Every structure is written in C-alpha cells, then in structure tokens.
Coordinates of all heavy atoms in Angstrom, one line a residue:
N1 N 0.8 -1.2 0.0 CA 0.0 0.0 0.0 C 0.9 1.3 0.0 O 1.5 1.5 1.0 CB -0.8 0.0 1.2 CG -2.0 1.0 1.2 OD1 -2.0 1.9 0.4 ND2 -2.9 1.0 2.2
P2 N 0.9 2.0 -1.1 CA 1.8 3.1 -1.1 C 1.4 4.3 -0.1 O 2.3 5.0 0.3 CB 1.7 3.7 -2.5 CG 0.8 2.8 -3.3 CD 0.3 1.7 -2.3
L3 N 0.2 4.4 0.2 CA -0.2 5.5 1.1 C 0.0 5.1 2.5 O 0.5 6.0 3.3 CB -1.7 5.7 0.9 CG -2.2 7.0 1.4 CD1 -1.5 8.2 0.9 CD2 -3.7 7.1 1.2
L4 N -0.2 3.9 3.0 CA -0.1 3.6 4.4 C 1.1 2.7 4.7 O 1.3 2.4 5.8 CB -1.4 2.9 4.9 CG -2.6 3.9 4.9 CD1 -3.9 3.0 5.2 CD2 -2.4 5.0 5.7
G5 N 1.7 2.1 3.7 CA 2.9 1.2 3.8 C 2.5 -0.2 4.2 O 1.3 -0.6 4.1
T6 N 3.5 -1.0 4.4 CA 3.3 -2.4 4.7 C 3.4 -2.8 6.2 O 3.2 -4.0 6.5 CB 4.4 -3.2 3.9 OG1 5.6 -2.8 4.3 CG2 4.3 -3.1 2.4
G7 N 3.5 -1.8 7.0 CA 3.6 -2.2 8.4 C 5.0 -2.2 8.9 O 6.0 -2.4 8.2
Y8 N 5.2 -1.9 10.2 CA 6.5 -1.9 10.9 C 7.1 -3.3 10.9 O 6.5 -4.3 11.0 CB 6.4 -1.3 12.2 CG 6.1 0.1 12.2 CD1 4.9 0.6 12.7 CD2 6.9 1.1 11.7 CE1 4.5 2.0 12.7 CE2 6.7 2.4 11.7 CZ 5.4 2.9 12.2 OH 5.1 4.1 12.2
S9 N 8.4 -3.3 10.7 CA 9.2 -4.6 10.6 C 8.8 -5.5 9.5 O 9.1 -6.6 9.5 CB 9.1 -5.4 11.9 OG 9.5 -4.6 13.1
S10 N 8.2 -4.9 8.5 CA 7.9 -5.6 7.3 C 9.0 -5.6 6.2 O 9.1 -6.4 5.3 CB 6.6 -5.3 6.7 OG 6.6 -3.9 6.2
I11 N 9.9 -4.6 6.3 CA 11.0 -4.4 5.3 C 12.2 -5.3 5.9 O 12.3 -5.4 7.1 CB 11.4 -3.0 5.2 CG1 10.2 -2.1 4.8 CG2 12.5 -2.8 4.2 CD1 9.6 -2.3 3.5
S12 N 12.8 -5.9 4.9 CA 14.0 -6.8 5.4 C 15.1 -6.0 6.0 O 15.2 -4.7 5.9 CB 14.6 -7.6 4.2 OG 15.2 -6.7 3.3
L13 N 15.9 -6.6 6.7 CA 17.0 -6.0 7.4 C 18.0 -5.4 6.4 O 19.0 -4.6 6.9 CB 17.8 -7.0 8.3 CG 16.9 -7.5 9.6 CD1 17.7 -8.5 10.3 CD2 16.5 -6.3 10.5
A14 N 18.0 -5.7 5.1 CA 18.9 -5.2 4.2 C 18.7 -3.7 3.9 O 19.6 -3.1 3.4 CB 18.9 -6.1 2.9
T15 N 17.5 -3.2 4.3 CA 17.3 -1.8 4.1 C 17.8 -1.0 5.3 O 17.2 -0.9 6.2 CB 15.8 -1.5 3.8 OG1 15.3 -2.5 2.9 CG2 15.4 -0.1 3.5
D16 N 18.9 -0.4 5.0 CA 19.5 0.4 6.2 C 19.2 1.9 6.1 O 19.3 2.6 7.0 CB 21.0 0.2 6.2 CG 21.3 -1.1 6.8 OD1 20.6 -1.7 7.6 OD2 22.5 -1.6 6.5
N17 N 18.8 2.3 4.9 CA 18.5 3.8 4.8 C 17.2 4.0 5.5 O 16.1 3.5 5.3 CB 18.3 4.1 3.3 CG 18.1 5.5 3.0 OD1 17.5 6.2 3.9 ND2 18.5 6.0 1.9
D18 N 17.2 4.9 6.5 CA 16.1 5.1 7.4 C 15.0 5.8 6.6 O 13.7 5.6 6.9 CB 16.5 5.9 8.6 CG 15.6 5.7 9.8 OD1 14.7 4.8 9.8 OD2 15.7 6.4 10.7
Y19 N 15.3 6.7 5.6 CA 14.2 7.3 4.9 C 13.5 6.4 4.0 O 12.3 6.3 4.0 CB 14.8 8.5 4.1 CG 15.7 9.5 4.9 CD1 17.0 9.6 4.7 CD2 15.0 10.2 5.8 CE1 17.7 10.5 5.5 CE2 15.7 11.2 6.5 CZ 17.0 11.3 6.4 OH 17.7 12.1 7.1
L20 N 14.2 5.4 3.4 CA 13.5 4.4 2.6 C 12.8 3.4 3.4 O 11.7 3.0 3.1 CB 14.5 3.6 1.7 CG 15.2 4.5 0.6 CD1 16.3 3.6 -0.1 CD2 14.2 5.1 -0.4
R21 N 13.3 3.1 4.6 CA 12.6 2.2 5.5 C 11.3 2.8 6.0 O 10.3 2.1 6.0 CB 13.5 1.9 6.7 CG 12.8 0.9 7.7 CD 13.8 0.7 8.9 NE 15.0 0.0 8.5 CZ 15.1 -1.3 8.5 NH1 14.1 -2.1 8.9 NH2 16.2 -1.9 8.2
S22 N 11.3 4.1 6.3 CA 10.1 4.7 6.8 C 9.1 4.8 5.7 O 7.9 4.6 5.9 CB 10.3 6.0 7.5 OG 10.7 7.0 6.4
L23 N 9.6 5.0 4.5 CA 8.7 5.1 3.3 C 8.1 3.8 3.0 O 6.8 3.7 2.7 CB 9.5 5.6 2.1 CG 8.7 5.9 0.8 CD1 7.7 7.0 1.0 CD2 9.6 6.2 -0.3
G24 N 8.8 2.6 3.1 CA 8.3 1.4 2.9 C 7.3 0.8 4.0 O 6.2 0.2 3.7
E25 N 7.7 1.0 5.2 CA 7.0 0.6 6.3 C 5.7 1.4 6.7 O 4.7 0.8 7.0 CB 7.8 0.4 7.6 CG 9.0 -0.7 7.4 CD 9.8 -0.7 8.7 OE1 9.7 0.2 9.5 OE2 10.5 -1.7 8.8
S26 N 5.8 2.7 6.6 CA 4.7 3.5 7.0 C 4.0 4.2 5.9 O 3.1 5.0 6.1 CB 5.1 4.5 8.2 OG 6.1 5.3 7.6
G27 N 4.5 4.0 4.6 CA 3.9 4.7 3.5 C 4.3 6.1 3.3 O 5.0 6.7 4.0
F28 N 3.5 6.7 2.4 CA 3.8 8.2 2.1 C 3.4 9.0 3.3 O 4.1 10.0 3.6 CB 3.1 8.5 0.8 CG 3.4 9.9 0.3 CD1 4.8 10.2 -0.1 CD2 2.5 10.9 0.3 CE1 5.2 11.4 -0.6 CE2 2.9 12.1 -0.1 CZ 4.2 12.4 -0.6
L29 N 2.2 8.7 3.9 CA 1.8 9.5 5.1 C 2.8 9.4 6.2 O 3.1 10.5 6.9 CB 0.3 9.1 5.4 CG -0.7 9.4 4.5 CD1 -2.0 8.8 4.9 CD2 -0.8 10.8 4.2
G30 N 3.2 8.3 6.6 CA 4.1 8.1 7.6 C 5.6 8.8 7.3 O 6.2 9.4 8.1
F31 N 5.9 8.6 6.0 CA 7.2 9.3 5.6 C 7.1 10.9 5.7 O 8.0 11.5 6.2 CB 7.5 8.9 4.2 CG 8.8 9.6 3.6 CD1 10.0 9.2 4.1 CD2 8.6 10.6 2.7 CE1 11.2 9.8 3.5 CE2 9.8 11.2 2.2 CZ 11.0 10.8 2.6
L32 N 5.9 11.4 5.3 CA 5.8 12.8 5.4 C 5.8 13.3 6.9 O 6.2 14.3 7.3 CB 4.4 13.3 4.8 CG 4.5 13.3 3.2 CD1 3.1 13.8 2.7 CD2 5.5 14.3 2.7
S33 N 5.2 12.4 7.8 CA 5.2 12.8 9.2 C 6.5 12.7 9.8 O 6.9 13.6 10.6 CB 4.3 11.8 9.9 OG 3.0 11.7 9.5
F34 N 7.4 11.8 9.3 CA 8.7 11.7 9.8 C 9.5 12.9 9.4 O 10.3 13.5 10.1 CB 9.3 10.4 9.3 CG 10.8 10.2 9.6 CD1 11.2 10.0 11.0 CD2 11.7 10.0 8.7 CE1 12.5 9.8 11.2 CE2 13.1 9.8 9.0 CZ 13.4 9.7 10.3
I35 N 9.4 13.2 8.1 CA 10.1 14.4 7.6 C 9.6 15.7 8.2 O 10.4 16.6 8.5 CB 9.9 14.5 6.0 CG1 10.6 13.3 5.4 CG2 10.5 15.8 5.5 CD1 12.1 13.2 5.6
A36 N 8.3 15.8 8.5 CA 7.8 17.0 9.2 C 8.4 17.1 10.6 O 8.8 18.3 11.1 CB 6.3 16.9 9.2
I37 N 8.5 16.0 11.3 CA 9.2 16.1 12.7 C 10.6 16.6 12.5 O 11.1 17.4 13.3 CB 9.1 14.7 13.3 CG1 7.6 14.4 13.6 CG2 10.0 14.6 14.5 CD1 7.4 13.0 14.1
L38 N 11.4 16.0 11.5 CA 12.8 16.4 11.3 C 12.9 17.9 11.0 O 13.8 18.7 11.4 CB 13.4 15.5 10.3 CG 13.6 14.0 10.7 CD1 14.2 13.3 9.5 CD2 14.4 14.0 12.0
I39 N 12.0 18.4 10.1 CA 11.9 19.8 9.7 C 11.7 20.7 10.9 O 12.3 21.7 11.0 CB 11.0 20.0 8.6 CG1 11.5 19.5 7.3 CG2 10.7 21.5 8.4 CD1 10.5 19.4 6.1
Y40 N 10.7 20.3 11.7 CA 10.4 21.0 13.0 C 11.6 21.1 13.8 O 12.0 22.1 14.4 CB 9.2 20.4 13.7 CG 8.8 21.1 14.9 CD1 8.2 22.3 14.9 CD2 9.3 20.5 16.2 CE1 7.8 22.9 16.1 CE2 8.9 21.3 17.4 CZ 8.2 22.3 17.3 OH 7.9 23.1 18.5
I41 N 12.3 20.0 14.0 CA 13.5 20.0 14.9 C 14.6 20.9 14.3 O 15.3 21.6 15.0 CB 14.0 18.5 15.0 CG1 13.0 17.7 16.0 CG2 15.4 18.5 15.7 CD1 13.3 16.2 16.1
A42 N 14.8 20.8 13.0 CA 15.8 21.6 12.3 C 15.5 23.1 12.4 O 16.4 23.9 12.7 CB 15.8 21.2 10.8
R43 N 14.3 23.5 12.4 CA 13.9 24.9 12.5 C 14.2 25.4 14.0 O 14.7 26.5 14.1 CB 12.5 25.1 12.2 CG 12.2 24.9 10.7 CD 10.8 25.2 10.3 NE 10.6 26.6 10.4 CZ 9.4 27.2 10.3 NH1 8.3 26.4 10.2 NH2 9.3 28.5 10.3
K44 N 14.0 24.5 14.9 CA 14.4 24.8 16.3 C 15.8 24.8 16.5 O 16.3 25.6 17.4 CB 13.7 23.9 17.3 CG 12.2 24.0 17.4 CD 11.9 25.2 18.3 CE 10.4 25.2 18.6 NZ 10.1 26.2 19.6
A45 N 16.5 23.9 15.8 CA 17.9 23.8 16.0 C 18.8 25.0 15.5 O 19.9 25.2 16.0 CB 18.5 22.5 15.4
V46 N 18.3 25.7 14.6 CA 19.1 26.8 14.0 C 19.1 28.0 14.9 O 19.8 29.0 14.6 CB 18.7 27.1 12.6 CG1 19.0 26.0 11.7 CG2 17.3 27.5 12.5
K47 N 18.3 28.1 15.9 CA 18.3 29.2 16.7 C 19.4 29.1 17.8 O 19.3 28.4 18.8 CB 16.9 29.3 17.6 CG 15.8 29.5 16.6 CD 14.5 29.6 17.3 CE 13.3 29.8 16.3 NZ 12.1 29.9 17.0
L48 N 20.5 29.6 17.4 CA 21.8 29.4 18.2 C 22.0 30.5 19.2 O 21.8 31.7 18.9 CB 23.0 29.3 17.3 CG 22.9 28.3 16.2 CD1 24.1 28.4 15.2 CD2 22.9 26.9 16.8
S49 N 22.2 30.2 20.4 CA 22.5 31.2 21.5 C 23.7 30.8 22.4 O 24.3 31.7 22.9 CB 21.3 31.4 22.3 OG 20.9 30.2 23.1
D50 N 24.0 29.6 22.5 CA 25.1 29.2 23.4 C 25.8 27.9 22.8 O 25.5 27.5 21.7 CB 24.7 29.0 24.8 CG 23.7 27.9 25.1 OD1 23.3 27.3 24.0 OD2 23.3 27.7 26.2
S51 N 26.8 27.4 23.4 CA 27.7 26.3 23.0 C 26.8 25.0 22.9 O 27.2 24.2 22.0 CB 28.9 26.1 23.9 OG 28.5 25.8 25.2
F52 N 25.8 24.9 23.7 CA 25.0 23.7 23.7 C 24.2 23.6 22.4 O 24.0 22.6 21.8 CB 24.0 23.6 24.9 CG 23.1 22.4 24.8 CD1 23.5 21.1 25.2 CD2 21.8 22.5 24.3 CE1 22.7 20.1 25.2 CE2 21.0 21.4 24.3 CZ 21.5 20.2 24.7
D53 N 23.8 24.8 21.9 CA 23.0 24.9 20.7 C 23.9 24.5 19.5 O 23.5 23.8 18.5 CB 22.5 26.3 20.5 CG 21.4 26.5 21.5 OD1 20.7 25.7 22.0 OD2 21.1 27.8 21.7
Y54 N 25.2 24.9 19.5 CA 26.1 24.5 18.4 C 26.4 23.1 18.5 O 26.5 22.4 17.4 CB 27.5 25.3 18.6 CG 27.3 26.8 18.2 CD1 27.4 27.7 19.2 CD2 27.2 27.1 16.9 CE1 27.2 29.1 18.7 CE2 27.1 28.5 16.5 CZ 27.1 29.5 17.5 OH 27.0 30.8 17.1
A55 N 26.5 22.5 19.7 CA 26.7 21.0 19.8 C 25.5 20.3 19.3 O 25.7 19.3 18.6 CB 27.0 20.7 21.2
Y56 N 24.3 20.7 19.6 CA 23.2 20.1 19.2 C 23.0 20.2 17.7 O 22.6 19.2 17.1 CB 21.8 20.7 19.9 CG 20.6 20.0 19.4 CD1 20.4 18.7 19.9 CD2 19.9 20.4 18.4 CE1 19.2 18.0 19.5 CE2 18.8 19.8 17.9 CZ 18.4 18.6 18.4 OH 17.3 17.9 18.0
L57 N 23.3 21.3 17.1 CA 23.2 21.4 15.7 C 24.2 20.4 15.0 O 23.9 19.8 13.9 CB 23.5 22.8 15.2 CG 23.3 23.1 13.8 CD1 21.9 22.9 13.3 CD2 23.8 24.5 13.4
G58 N 25.3 20.3 15.6 CA 26.3 19.2 15.0 C 25.8 17.8 15.1 O 25.9 17.1 14.1
I59 N 25.2 17.5 16.3 CA 24.6 16.2 16.4 C 23.4 15.9 15.5 O 23.3 14.9 14.9 CB 24.1 16.0 17.9 CG1 25.3 16.0 18.9 CG2 23.3 14.8 18.1 CD1 24.9 16.1 20.3
F60 N 22.6 17.0 15.3 CA 21.4 16.8 14.5 C 21.8 16.6 13.0 O 21.4 15.7 12.3 CB 20.6 18.0 14.5 CG 19.3 18.0 13.7 CD1 18.3 17.1 14.0 CD2 19.2 18.8 12.5 CE1 17.2 17.0 13.2 CE2 18.1 18.7 11.8 CZ 17.1 17.8 12.1
M61 N 22.8 17.4 12.5 CA 23.4 17.2 11.1 C 24.0 15.9 10.8 O 23.9 15.2 9.9 CB 24.3 18.4 10.7 CG 23.7 19.8 10.8 SD 22.2 19.9 9.6 CE 23.0 19.6 8.1
T62 N 24.7 15.5 11.9 CA 25.4 14.1 11.8 C 24.3 13.1 11.7 O 24.4 12.1 10.9 CB 26.2 13.9 13.0 OG1 27.2 14.9 13.1 CG2 26.9 12.5 13.0
M63 N 23.2 13.2 12.5 CA 22.1 12.2 12.4 C 21.5 12.1 11.1 O 21.1 11.1 10.5 CB 21.2 12.4 13.5 CG 21.6 12.2 15.0 SD 21.8 10.5 15.3 CE 20.2 10.0 15.6
I64 N 21.1 13.4 10.5 CA 20.5 13.4 9.3 C 21.3 12.8 8.1 O 20.8 12.1 7.3 CB 20.2 14.9 8.9 CG1 19.2 15.5 9.9 CG2 19.7 15.2 7.5 CD1 17.8 14.9 9.9
I65 N 22.6 13.1 8.1 CA 23.5 12.5 7.1 C 23.7 11.0 7.3 O 23.7 10.3 6.4 CB 24.8 13.2 7.1 CG1 24.6 14.7 6.7 CG2 25.9 12.6 6.2 CD1 25.8 15.6 6.9
T66 N 24.0 10.6 8.5 CA 24.1 9.2 8.8 C 22.9 8.4 8.5 O 22.9 7.2 8.2 CB 24.6 9.0 10.2 OG1 25.7 9.8 10.6 CG2 25.0 7.5 10.5
D67 N 21.7 9.0 8.6 CA 20.5 8.4 8.4 C 20.3 7.9 6.9 O 19.5 7.0 6.7 CB 19.3 9.3 8.7 CG 18.1 8.6 9.2 OD1 18.2 7.5 9.8 OD2 17.0 9.1 9.1
V68 N 21.0 8.4 6.0 CA 21.0 7.9 4.7 C 21.6 6.6 4.5 O 21.2 5.8 3.7 CB 21.8 9.0 3.7 CG1 21.9 8.5 2.3 CG2 21.1 10.3 3.8
F69 N 22.6 6.3 5.4 CA 23.3 5.0 5.3 C 22.9 4.0 6.3 O 23.0 2.8 6.1 CB 24.8 5.3 5.4 CG 25.4 6.3 4.4 CD1 25.7 7.5 4.9 CD2 25.5 5.9 3.1 CE1 26.2 8.4 3.9 CE2 26.0 6.8 2.2 CZ 26.3 8.0 2.5
L70 N 22.5 4.4 7.5 CA 22.1 3.6 8.6 C 20.7 4.0 9.1 O 20.4 5.1 9.0 CB 23.1 3.6 9.7 CG 24.5 3.1 9.5 CD1 25.4 3.6 10.6 CD2 24.6 1.8 9.1
D71 N 20.1 3.2 9.9 CA 18.8 3.5 10.5 C 19.1 3.9 11.9 O 18.8 3.2 12.9 CB 17.8 2.3 10.4 CG 18.4 1.0 11.0 OD1 19.6 0.9 11.1 OD2 17.6 0.1 11.2
V72 N 19.7 5.1 12.1 CA 20.2 5.6 13.3 C 19.0 6.0 14.2 O 19.2 6.0 15.5 CB 21.1 6.7 13.2 CG1 22.4 6.2 12.7 CG2 20.6 7.9 12.4
F73 N 17.8 6.4 13.7 CA 16.7 6.8 14.5 C 16.1 5.6 15.2 O 15.3 5.7 16.2 CB 15.7 7.6 13.8 CG 16.2 9.0 13.5 CD1 16.4 9.3 12.2 CD2 16.3 9.9 14.6 CE1 16.8 10.6 11.8 CE2 16.8 11.2 14.2 CZ 17.1 11.5 12.9
E74 N 16.4 4.3 14.8 CA 15.8 3.1 15.3 C 16.9 2.4 16.1 O 16.6 1.5 16.8 CB 15.3 2.2 14.3 CG 13.9 2.6 13.8 CD 13.9 3.6 12.7 OE1 15.0 3.8 12.1 OE2 12.9 4.4 12.5
A75 N 18.2 2.7 16.0 CA 19.3 2.1 16.7 C 19.2 2.6 18.1 O 19.4 3.7 18.4 CB 20.6 2.3 16.1
S76 N 19.0 1.7 19.0 CA 18.6 2.1 20.4 C 19.7 2.9 21.1 O 19.4 3.9 21.7 CB 18.2 0.9 21.2 OG 19.3 0.0 21.3
K77 N 20.9 2.5 21.0 CA 22.0 3.2 21.7 C 22.2 4.7 21.1 O 22.5 5.5 22.0 CB 23.3 2.4 21.6 CG 23.2 1.1 22.3 CD 24.5 0.2 22.1 CE 24.3 -1.1 22.8 NZ 25.3 -2.1 22.4
I78 N 22.0 4.8 19.9 CA 22.3 6.1 19.3 C 21.0 6.9 19.4 O 21.1 8.1 19.7 CB 22.6 6.0 17.8 CG1 24.0 5.3 17.7 CG2 22.8 7.3 17.1 CD1 24.3 4.8 16.4
A79 N 19.8 6.3 19.2 CA 18.6 7.1 19.3 C 18.3 7.6 20.6 O 17.7 8.7 20.8 CB 17.5 6.2 18.7
I80 N 18.6 6.9 21.7 CA 18.4 7.3 23.0 C 19.1 8.6 23.3 O 18.5 9.6 23.8 CB 18.7 6.2 24.0 CG1 17.7 5.0 24.0 CG2 18.8 6.7 25.5 CD1 18.0 3.8 24.7
L81 N 20.3 8.7 22.9 CA 21.2 9.9 23.2 C 20.6 11.1 22.4 O 20.5 12.1 22.8 CB 22.6 9.6 22.8 CG 23.3 8.6 23.7 CD1 24.7 8.4 23.1 CD2 23.4 9.3 25.1
F82 N 20.3 10.8 21.1 CA 19.7 11.8 20.2 C 18.4 12.5 20.8 O 18.3 13.6 20.9 CB 19.5 11.4 18.8 CG 18.8 12.4 17.9 CD1 19.5 13.5 17.5 CD2 17.4 12.3 17.7 CE1 18.8 14.5 16.8 CE2 16.8 13.2 16.9 CZ 17.5 14.3 16.4
W83 N 17.5 11.6 21.2 CA 16.2 12.1 21.7 C 16.4 12.7 23.0 O 15.7 13.6 23.4 CB 15.2 10.9 21.7 CG 14.8 10.5 20.3 CD1 15.0 9.3 19.7 CD2 14.2 11.3 19.3 NE1 14.6 9.3 18.4 CE2 14.1 10.5 18.1 CE3 13.8 12.7 19.2 CZ2 13.5 11.0 17.0 CZ3 13.3 13.1 18.1 CH2 13.1 12.3 16.9
M84 N 17.4 12.3 23.8 CA 17.7 12.9 25.1 C 18.2 14.3 24.8 O 17.7 15.3 25.5 CB 18.7 12.1 25.9 CG 19.0 12.8 27.2 SD 20.4 12.0 28.1 CE 21.7 12.4 27.0
F85 N 19.2 14.5 23.9 CA 19.6 15.8 23.6 C 18.5 16.7 23.0 O 18.4 17.9 23.2 CB 20.8 15.8 22.7 CG 22.1 15.5 23.3 CD1 22.8 14.3 22.9 CD2 22.6 16.2 24.3 CE1 24.0 14.1 23.6 CE2 23.8 16.0 24.9 CZ 24.6 14.8 24.6
T86 N 17.6 16.1 22.2 CA 16.5 16.9 21.6 C 15.5 17.4 22.8 O 15.1 18.5 22.7 CB 15.8 16.0 20.6 OG1 16.7 15.6 19.6 CG2 14.6 16.8 20.0
A87 N 15.3 16.5 23.8 CA 14.5 17.0 24.9 C 15.2 18.1 25.6 O 14.5 19.0 26.1 CB 14.2 15.8 25.7
L88 N 16.5 17.9 25.9 CA 17.2 19.0 26.5 C 17.1 20.3 25.7 O 17.0 21.5 26.3 CB 18.6 18.6 26.8 CG 18.9 17.6 27.9 CD1 20.3 17.2 27.9 CD2 18.4 18.1 29.2
K89 N 17.2 20.2 24.5 CA 17.2 21.4 23.5 C 15.8 22.0 23.7 O 15.7 23.3 23.8 CB 17.5 21.0 22.1 CG 17.2 22.0 21.1 CD 18.2 23.2 21.1 CE 17.8 24.2 20.0 NZ 18.3 25.5 20.2
F90 N 14.7 21.3 23.7 CA 13.4 21.8 23.7 C 12.9 22.4 25.0 O 12.1 23.3 25.1 CB 12.4 20.9 23.0 CG 12.5 20.8 21.5 CD1 12.4 19.5 21.0 CD2 12.8 21.8 20.7 CE1 12.5 19.3 19.6 CE2 12.9 21.7 19.4 CZ 12.8 20.5 18.8
T91 N 13.4 21.8 26.1 CA 13.1 22.3 27.4 C 13.9 23.5 27.7 O 13.5 24.3 28.6 CB 13.4 21.1 28.5 OG1 14.7 20.7 28.4 CG2 12.3 20.1 28.3
K92 N 15.0 23.7 27.1 CA 15.8 24.8 27.3 C 15.3 26.1 26.7 O 15.5 27.2 27.2 CB 17.3 24.6 26.9 CG 18.3 25.6 27.2 CD 19.7 25.2 26.8 CE 20.2 25.7 25.4 NZ 19.9 27.0 25.0
T93 N 14.6 25.9 25.5 CA 14.1 27.1 24.8 C 12.7 27.4 25.1 O 12.0 26.7 25.5 CB 14.4 26.9 23.3 OG1 13.7 25.7 22.9 CG2 15.8 26.9 22.9

C-alpha cells in the first residue's frame, strides 16, 4: 500500500536507509510525518544562542547525514542519546 505502507518490521534487514525504511513501512503519510518532525527539529536547532546549541546542531546534522546510510533513529543506543539531547534542547528554549 503506497499510502499507508506495509507495516512496521515488514521491510527486510537489508534496508539500512532510514528514509527508505520509513517510506516502505509506514507509506507516504508516515514518511511525510517523519520528515515533518525532522523539519520542525531543524527549525528549532538553528536558533543558536550558546555552545549547547552549536553542539546540538552538529549532532542533528550528523544524524541526518548518517540516516542515509544507517537506521540511526531506530538504533537504540544512538537514538536514546539523540532524543535525550533533543528533549534538553526543547526544554531549554
């Protein structure tokens, strides 16, 4: 189903690109939701005021680029740190 996808964990492990994985598993609507969340985070990340903001921007850009090659938003050890820094960023501003 191109609109709603095939369901989570239905794509084989060979698909490491997180963008393609979200497109296949959750369809076009899920993919747009995922991209909308990343755009929202990016808009908040560019408001730089101190060294934590610069560090967060570097972490965010690294995650976006690495997400093309690996599924870093689903890798538990990496994703936990990213979402923790994201929560710190949003509670700070």
